Amino acid sequence: LGWVKEITGGYSLPQFLFHAALCCFAMARTSKDRKYISTARSCVKLLKTWAKKGCPNFPHNILLLEAEDKDLRKQRTKAASSYEKSIKVAKDLKRLQDEAIANEKYAAFQRRRGNMDAANVYLEESIRLYRRWGASKKVEQLLSMMQ
C-alpha cells in the first residue's frame, strides 16, 4: 500500500480501502495465501491512523473490518460483538449502505457458525436496507441465497 502515501486526499480513498480490505478478508477465507490477510490488515491500520487524526466518517467500517479479522483469528465472541457494534454505529450515523453491508457480513458469519435462524434475520435486514438504498440487483442476489 505504499502508493497510498502519494495520494494527498480524497473522500473516496477511505471507502476504497474499506472495500479492498473486505475483499481481501473474503479471499483469505478461500485461499491459503497470506498476502490477503496482510493487505487487509494494512488497510485497517491506515484507516485507524486516519480516524485517530480526526477523520470521523468511518468508525463503523473499522468495526466491521475488525469483526472480519477476529473471525479469521477464530475469536468468535469478539467478532460477533464487533459485527453488532458496526451495525449499531452505521445505523446511528444513518449510513444505510454500510448498515446493509454489516448486516450481510454478520449473516454470513452466523451461517458459517451454523446459526441459520440468526443468519436469516440479519440477511433479511440486509435485504430490507439494500432495497431502501435502491440496490435492486444486490437484493436479487441476496434473495437467491435465501432459497
Side-chain angles (χ1 to χ4, degrees):
L1 295 178
W3 58 269
V4 172
K5 295 175 185 167
E6 304 299 322
I7 298 174
T8 58
Y11 172 78
S12 61
L13 184 57
Q15 284 298 307
F16 172 80
L17 291 175
F18 167 66
H19 289 283
L22 276 180
C23 290
C24 286
F25 281 132
M27 287 300 299
R29 283 194 178 83
T30 61
S31 170
K32 298 203 184 305
D33 194 336
R34 302 276 308 157
K35 73 180 177 188
Y36 296 112
I37 290 177
S38 175
T39 300
R41 289 178 180 156
S42 293
C43 291
V44 173
K45 183 178 179 182
L46 189 52
L47 288 170
K48 284 181 175 182
T49 298
W50 291 342
K52 285 179 186 170
K53 290 182 178 183
C55 186
N57 298 328
F58 43 84
H60 54 292
N61 296 130
I62 292 170
L63 285 164
L64 181 56
L65 295 174
E66 288 175 339
E68 293 281 289
D69 194 20
K70 289 171 185 170
D71 181 29
L72 284 168
R73 293 176 191 255
K74 301 191 185 328
Q75 298 173 350
R76 308 297 191 225
T77 303
K78 290 179 180 180
S81 177
S82 291
Y83 283 114
E84 291 167 5
K85 287 177 187 173
S86 175
I87 291 167
K88 182 187 181 323
V89 173
K91 184 175 187 161
D92 291 347
L93 292 173
K94 299 182 181 6
R95 297 296 305 264
L96 191 64
Q97 70 276 23
D98 292 330
E99 186 184 353
I101 292 168
N103 273 280
E104 178 186 359
K105 292 296 182 179
Y106 196 28
F109 170 83
Q110 293 291 353
R111 182 171 278 111
R112 287 190 299 274
R113 308 284 80 71
N115 302 328
M116 299 312 287
D117 290 341
N120 287 335
V121 167
Y122 287 98
L123 188 58
E124 287 169 5
E125 179 65 2
S126 179
I127 289 167
R128 185 186 71 77
L129 292 163
Y130 279 127
R131 188 173 278 129
R132 274 188 52 209
W133 189 43
S136 56
K137 289 295 180 183
K138 186 63 178 182
V139 169
E140 288 177 25
Q141 177 197 31
L142 295 177
L143 285 171
S144 72
M145 290 173 54
M146 290 187 76
Q147 300 173 11

